[in-house]
Amino acid sequence: MKRIASFEVNHDLLTPGMYTSRIDGDITTYDVRMVTPNGGVYLEPAASHTFEHLFATYVRNSDFAEQIIYAGPMGCQTGFYFLVRNLDPADAIRLVQQTMDFIADYQDSEIPGVSRIECGNYLLHDLEGAKKMARTMQPVLKDWTVEDLVYKK
């Protein structure tokens, strides 16, 4: 079988940040890497699950809602994929920065979409952990530019 693009990236060179993983026509896949791959520290499932709910809710309610395709966790527990359609890279960076701010500052005690009817694992959530994940990413992405979206070789 043909190797997929994400397996072509040297994970030993990746550091936390936001990268363009691939572009397929009008769809761009961003790799929002939150911890160093194979570094021994991974995203906690409960915190990641809550982070996903908050991230998806925020971006799908943003000015770019119609351009959002998907936001979800990587199986390796080191980050999230963020897929958009026809969204300028600078806007994508700003949106992810704003989303980190939203999650880090989230004050409501109710997490969107967390009931047995709405979620397939509604008991697995950690709001404080999700907020910590976002706070960790805020300084990483603070001055991120379009030029920073390129994987290190």
Side-chain angles (χ1 to χ4, degrees):
M1 283 193 243
K2 183 178 174 185
R3 286 175 57 87
I4 62 172
S6 62
F7 295 160
E8 298 297 324
V9 175
N10 184 342
H11 285 67
D12 286 339
L13 301 178
L14 285 177
T15 57
M18 180 175 171
Y19 304 96
T20 303
S21 176
R22 58 185 294 151
I23 298 173
D24 300 290
D26 61 350
I27 299 172
T28 302
T29 301
Y30 291 103
D31 172 350
V32 182
R33 192 67 61 164
M34 301 178 79
V35 298
T36 301
N38 301 308
V41 174
Y42 302 96
L43 301 178
E44 295 292 328
S48 292
H49 190 193
T50 303
F51 183 93
E52 174 196 11
H53 277 238
L54 293 170
F55 192 105
T57 297
Y58 185 82
V59 299
R60 289 183 176 136
N61 282 280
S62 72
D63 291 341
F64 302 106
E66 296 300 316
Q67 294 162 276
I68 306 305
I69 295 173
Y70 174 76
M74 296 176 178
C76 61
Q77 297 176 285
T78 63
F80 277 73
Y81 294 114
F82 182 45
L83 282 73
V84 298
R85 172 176 280 125
N86 291 327
L87 184 61
D88 181 80
D91 289 332
I93 293 169
R94 273 192 299 282
L95 181 55
V96 170
Q97 291 166 330
Q98 292 166 356
T99 304
M100 295 302 169
D101 294 343
F102 168 76
I103 296 169
D105 298 333
Y106 192 74
Q107 297 300 316
D108 195 336
S109 61
E110 186 174 318
I111 301 162
V114 179
S115 74
R116 185 178 181 92
I117 294 169
E118 299 166 308
C119 179
N121 197 358
Y122 76 104
L123 297 175
L124 182 71
H125 282 279
D126 176 4
L127 179 56
E128 288 308 311
K131 292 168 75 167
K132 182 179 176 186
M133 287 170 59
R135 285 193 297 270
T136 299
M137 286 303 290
Q138 285 174 310
V140 171
L141 296 176
K142 182 178 183 289
D143 297 316
W144 211 257
T145 67
V146 172
E147 291 76 23
D148 294 322
L149 291 172
V150 178
Y151 284 125
K152 296 170 181 68
K153 302 272 184 193

